[in-house]
């Protein structure tokens, strides 16, 4: 490869590292932790639970400890085969209801069916859908409900602080915040009604009950495995506003326990994410050049394999990449170890997406919580 081509490649790395750096700076300035207010009405906290004996007690108790707003908590036991139901019954709070989710109908995914069933039983003006591994802070429910009231948004979401206790989790989970903050133009999302700008985190979504009913709720996305994105776009397509907030101080979540579980979980969502023939090459260019190649260029430069101009440009690209990861890390309270691991984490994310796209015979069904759902794989 000639020196001019190597220099051009290094310049491309710099340009593709600059885009998420600028967007992250803009988004971090735009996203704020919402403040709670009184008088926002009853919030129904709805928690779908399937074999969540290890999580459900702490999640329910944290939800019941909500302050500054009245809450009811409904746990939908989705045919658990462990002690989930018994643990919920033992909590013994009059604001808590345990309901049995009916048998899963054909054409539905489990979480959407459970959420739809619980929504039909809720009494609150706002419904807060919460994954069973999410621990709310005391004023979180009041804060997101107040944000909806202040902004007129029919859907408000945010990414909880992600606990990553193993190396495998640190190589996978931090990409959630990086992709959201580095590639979604939040100020533009707030100004334009375009459904393609809609985004939410399925771990924590608050909706206005009337708007939720009007758009068809989870029934309208019954086949989807990516409820966060699909629900936000559904609301926006119907003319409703959606919003995002900084939620790292509002809730904590440990999504997965180790690399194997994380790979399976992100593979499930890849079917409705990047892993399409048109989207993935673009994402590979943006992420591969901007985040993965710069350290390789520097290594090659130190070995005398690339010209000084390429080495300098690669160094600038790496500095931008790691500075962006550092800013995101501080904002979302992620472990500092995720910063030097960032290029490897991006490479792992791309590997998951390409594995799903290219190995359709293995990725032709998404499996989660003992259920398999047929998907197109593309």
């Amino acid at each position: 490869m000639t020196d001019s081509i190597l220099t051009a490649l290094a310049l491309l790395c710099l340009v593709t590292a600059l885009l998420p750096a600028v967007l992250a700076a803009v988004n971090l300035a735009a996203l704020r932790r919402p403040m709670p207010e009184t008088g926002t009405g009853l919030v129904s906290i709805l928690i779908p639970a399937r074999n969540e004996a290890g999580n459900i007690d702490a999640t329910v108790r944290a939800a019941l400890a909500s302050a500054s707003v009245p809450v009811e908590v409904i746990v939908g036991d989705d045919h658990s085969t462990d002690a989930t139901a018994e643990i919920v019954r033992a909590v013994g709070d009059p604001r808590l209801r345990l309901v049995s989710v009916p048998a899963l109908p054909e054409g539905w995914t489990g979480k959407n069916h459970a959420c739809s069933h619980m929504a039909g039983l809720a009494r609150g003006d706002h419904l807060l859908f919460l994954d069973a591994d999410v621990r709310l802070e005391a004023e979180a429910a009041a804060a997101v409900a107040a944000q909806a009231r202040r902004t007129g948004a029919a859907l408000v979401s945010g990414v909880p602080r992600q606990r990553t206790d193993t190396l495998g989790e640190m190589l996978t989970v931090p990409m959630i915040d990086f992709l959201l903050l580095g590639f979604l133009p939040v100020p533009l999302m707030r100004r334009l009604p375009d459904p393609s700008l809609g985004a939410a985190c399925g771990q924590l979504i608050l909706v206005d009950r009337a708007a939720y009913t009007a758009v068809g709720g989870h029934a309208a996305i019954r086949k989807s495995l990516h409820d966060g994105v699909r629900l936000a776009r559904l609301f926006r397509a119907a003319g409703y506003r959606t919003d995002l907030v900084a939620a790292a101080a509002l809730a904590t979540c440990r999504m997965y326990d180790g690399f194997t579980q994380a790979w399976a979980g992100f593979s499930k969502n890849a079917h409705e994410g990047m892993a399409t023939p048109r989207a993935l090459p673009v994402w590979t260019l943006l992420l591969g050049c901007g985040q993965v190649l710069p350290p390789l260029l520097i290594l090659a430069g130190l070995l005398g394999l690339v010209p000084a101009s390429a080495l300098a440009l690669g160094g600038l690209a790496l500095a931008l990449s790691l500075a962006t990861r550092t800013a995101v890390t501080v904002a979302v309270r992620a472990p500092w170890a995720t910063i030097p691991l960032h290029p490897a984490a991006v490479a792992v994310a791309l590997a998951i997406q390409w594995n799903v796209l290219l190995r359709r015979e293995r990725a032709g069904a998404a499996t989660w919580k003992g259920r398999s759902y047929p998907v197109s794989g593309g």
Side-chain angles (χ1 to χ4, degrees), residues 296-344:
L296 300 179
L297 277 173
I298 291 176
L299 178 60
L302 295 176
L303 295 174
L305 301 177
V306 300
S309 56
L311 176 60
L313 290 169
L316 287 173
L318 180 61
L320 268 177
S321 171
L322 295 182
T324 304
R325 178 66 254 180
T326 300
V328 171
T329 296
V330 172
V332 304
R333 306 184 182 187
W336 286 97
T338 60
I339 299 171
L341 288 172
H342 177 64

Side-chain angles (χ1 to χ4, degrees), residues 21-346:
V22 171
L23 274 176
V26 171
N27 289 339
L28 288 172
L31 290 175
R32 288 286 181 265
R33 174 186 176 181
M35 294 293 106
E37 295 176 354
T38 58
T40 54
L42 178 69
V43 174
S44 297
I45 302 176
L46 311 180
I47 307 170
R50 178 173 169 86
N51 294 332
E52 293 287 356
N55 286 311
I56 198 65
D57 183 71
T59 296
V60 166
R61 292 184 186 279
L64 290 168
S66 295
S68 302
V69 66
V71 300
E72 66 169 352
V73 178
I74 302 176
V75 177
D77 179 29
D78 191 6
H79 303 269
S80 297
T81 56
D82 63 6
T84 295
E86 289 79 1
I87 292 170
V88 175
R89 290 191 192 100
V91 174
D93 190 297
R95 298 169 298 162
L96 172 64
R97 277 190 285 166
L98 174 69
V99 300
S100 296
V101 177
L104 183 65
E106 186 176 354
W108 285 76
T109 56
K111 180 181 177 181
N112 288 332
H113 183 237
C115 287
S116 179
H117 179 68
M118 289 186 293
L121 302 173
R123 298 181 293 112
D125 294 329
H126 284 107
L127 313 179
L128 177 55
F129 295 101
L130 201 68
D131 279 1
D133 48 11
V134 176
R135 315 287 192 265
L136 291 179
E137 296 298 324
E139 294 191 328
V144 290
Q147 179 76 5
R149 185 178 181 181
R150 282 191 295 262
T151 63
L155 181 152
V156 178
S157 183
V159 181
R161 183 177 70 85
Q162 302 295 311
R163 272 186 55 198
T164 50
D165 295 348
T166 67
L167 176 61
E169 292 164 73
M170 285 189 279
L171 284 171
T172 49
V173 175
M175 286 300 293
I176 297 173
D177 288 300
F178 180 78
L179 290 172
L180 178 67
L181 293 170
F183 291 93
L184 176 70
V186 171
L188 199 62
M189 176 270 292
R190 287 174 171 167
R191 290 190 181 95
L192 300 180
D194 189 342
S196 68
L197 294 172
C201 175
Q203 298 170 357
L204 189 158
I205 299 178
L206 178 130
V207 299
D208 175 84
R209 178 179 180 149
Y212 176 85
T213 301
V215 302
H218 283 86
I221 58 166
R222 66 188 66 186
K223 295 182 179 180
S224 175
L225 290 161
H226 212 322
D227 58 310
V229 172
R230 300 298 182 189
L231 205 57
R233 292 180 178 178
L234 175 69
F235 272 70
R236 294 171 72 88
Y240 293 101
R241 294 186 60 188
T242 70
D243 199 10
L244 287 167
V245 298
L250 300 180
T252 303
C253 176
R254 186 181 183 191
M255 289 181 70
Y256 304 119
D257 183 4
F259 183 77
T260 300
Q261 196 179 99
W263 181 282
F266 285 113
S267 295
K268 168 178 65 73
N269 291 336
H271 291 286
E272 297 179 11
M274 298 181 192
T276 69
R278 286 195 297 178
L280 190 50
V282 176
W283 280 109
T284 301
L285 176 68
L286 290 173
L287 293 171
C289 288
Q291 314 298 319
V292 179
L293 278 182
L296 300 179
L297 277 173
I298 291 176
L299 178 60
L302 295 176
L303 295 174
L305 301 177
V306 300
S309 56
L311 176 60
L313 290 169
L316 287 173
L318 180 61
L320 268 177
S321 171
L322 295 182
T324 304
R325 178 66 254 180
T326 300
V328 171
T329 296
V330 172
V332 304
R333 306 184 182 187
W336 286 97
T338 60
I339 299 171
L341 288 172
H342 177 64
V346 176

